[in-house]
Amino acid sequence: MVLMSALNNALRNIVNAEKRGKRQVLIRPCSKVVVKFLTVMQKNGYIGEFEIVDDKRNGKVVVNLNGRINKCGVISPRFDIKLDAIEKWVVNLLPARQFGHIVLTTSYGIMDHNEAREKGTGGKVLGFFY
């Protein structure tokens, strides 16, 4: 079996562990994009602390879950989003206006859609969580 997307694999593992009621989940392989996505989730309070384990290969991440994630996923292909089109994507992807986040990769780094609006930039959509 060939791994197509490390980010998709990581988010799927998180959702499955959350549904089973686990307190921790081990994610492997790990990439810089996965770590930045987890940082955005942690900043918004959807996951607890996470620890990066360096095994001299691809790396592993141990994530502490706090039971707030209902769903998270990857948008593939990574569509371009302009600043004025962010609202359309929020309506299409998220269940409510004040609930959930879309993660974008911009020239300022990886951030959620609210931070991208504040900085006045668009980017490519990575995924979502709520």
Side-chain angles (χ1 to χ4, degrees), residues 49-65:
E49 298 290 320
F50 63 90
E51 179 184 353
I52 301 166
V53 180
D54 185 25
D55 60 353
K56 303 290 190 212
R57 291 188 190 93
N58 287 338
K60 300 175 186 173
V61 179
V62 177
V63 180
N64 293 327
L65 303 174

Side-chain angles (χ1 to χ4, degrees), residues 85-100:
I86 290 177
E87 188 62 36
K88 184 186 81 168
W89 279 84
V90 168
V91 169
N92 288 341
L93 283 177
L94 302 179
R97 186 176 293 271
Q98 301 295 325
F99 190 65

Side-chain angles (χ1 to χ4, degrees), residues 70-81:
N70 295 319
K71 187 174 183 183
C72 57
V74 172
I75 303 300
S76 179
R78 294 180 177 171
F79 292 106
D80 291 327
I81 300 181

